[in-house]
Amino acid sequence: MPQQMPLGVSKQDEATFSNFYLPPGDSNRQVVDFLQNFAAGDNLEPVIYLWGPIGSGVTHLLQAVCQVAASHKRSYCYLPLKDNIDTDPTSAFDHLEQLELICIDDVHLLSHRSTWQVALFHLYNRLKDSGRQLLLGACQSPRGLDITLNDLRSRLQWGLIFQLCPLSDRDKIIVLRQRSRQRGFDLPEEVAHYILHRAPRNTRALFSYLEQLDHASLMAQRKITIPFVKRVLDFGS
C-alpha cells in the first residue's frame, strides 16, 4: 500500500481541530463537527466538497482531517494541487484508490486544465468503485469552477457541499493573538489591530506575517511593537 503523504505543516503551526478557532455560535461549527466524524471513519459519506474564500480555513481543516485519520490508523493522503499542478496528473493520482481517505486541496486550480480534470474524473470513479472516501477543498463552489469536462462537473456536485464562512475582523484579532501565544510570544492587541488594518485580511496572509515577526524578533531579541512591525513588514507610517 502506498505510504501516507506528509502534511507539510510546521510543528509550531500544526493544523488540528483543536486550534481551529470557532467563535461562540459560529456557523462553521456544524461543518467542523461533521468533518471530525468523517476523519475518524464514523461517517461513511463518500465525497465531501469543502470551500470558502482564501484564508477561511479550508486547508487547515483538510490537514486536521488527516491528523485525525492518522490517529485512527487510517491510510490517507493529503495532496495540495498548488504544489503539484505542474506535474503529471496521472502519476499524482496513481494508486490513491488503495488508501482509505484522500484529501485533495486547491481544486479551483483545475479550471482550464483539461488533463487534470480527466485524471480527477477517473480517480473519482476508482474511489467510488473501491468504497473509499474523498475530501476536496477549494476557494470556489463546484458551480463556480470553470470545468470543461461536464462529467466531472456533475460529479463534483454529487456529494455533500460545505461552505466555510470567514472570520470577522474582531475574531481575526483573537486568532492572531492566540496563534502568537502558541508560537511562544505575546502580540499586544494594539499591534494586532495595526497589522490587520494594513495587511491582507485573509488568515493565511496574516499567519505568514506573524511567522515573519516571530523569526525577526528572535533574531533581533526585540519585543514586537508597532515600530518593530513597521520595520520588519514595511507597512510604512
Side-chain angles (χ1 to χ4, degrees), residues 148-163:
T148 55
L149 183 61
N150 290 330
D151 286 339
L152 176 61
R153 176 183 294 276
S154 64
R155 296 293 192 280
L156 294 178
Q157 297 177 39
W158 277 2
L160 284 181
I161 301 172
F162 291 125
Q163 179 182 3

Side-chain angles (χ1 to χ4, degrees), residues 9-15 19 182:
V9 292
S10 69
K11 185 176 181 181
Q12 290 176 318
D13 287 344
E14 189 174 70
N19 65 16
Q182 290 171 5

Side-chain angles (χ1 to χ4, degrees), residues 2-38:
Q3 294 183 345
Q4 299 163 354
M5 299 181 68
L7 292 178
V9 292
S10 69
K11 185 176 181 181
Q12 290 176 318
D13 287 344
E14 189 174 70
T16 65
F17 284 110
S18 61
N19 65 16
F20 185 81
Y21 180 70
L22 287 169
D26 188 75
S27 60
N28 291 333
R29 184 171 297 278
Q30 185 177 2
V31 178
V32 171
D33 289 344
F34 191 95
L35 288 176
Q36 285 183 289
N37 292 328
F38 175 83

Side-chain angles (χ1 to χ4, degrees), residues 8 27 66 87 93 121 156 171 184 216:
S27 60
C66 291
T87 63
F93 291 157
F121 172 74
L156 294 178
D171 290 326

Side-chain angles (χ1 to χ4, degrees), residues 67-146:
Q67 297 281 5
V68 172
S71 70
H72 283 77
K73 310 299 183 184
R74 303 186 71 200
S75 57
Y76 71 92
C77 90
Y78 170 69
L79 182 65
L81 292 186
K82 67 181 177 63
D83 296 332
N84 296 274
I85 201 68
D86 293 325
T87 63
D88 176 16
T90 303
S91 60
F93 291 157
D94 197 24
H95 301 304
L96 292 188
E97 66 275 7
Q98 297 181 31
L99 302 175
E100 296 173 79
L101 173 64
I102 296 88
C103 297
I104 301 178
D105 206 353
D106 312 308
V107 174
H108 50 275
L109 296 181
L110 293 178
S111 296
H112 307 294
R113 294 180 183 268
S114 58
T115 55
W116 275 93
Q117 293 176 26
V118 170
L120 180 58
F121 172 74
H122 289 307
L123 173 64
Y124 187 109
N125 291 333
R126 296 199 306 272
L127 295 177
K128 182 175 180 294
D129 292 341
S130 58
R132 304 309 191 185
Q133 291 183 295
L134 175 64
L135 174 60
L136 302 168
C139 67
Q140 294 174 292
S141 71
R143 294 183 181 276
L145 298 178
D146 190 1

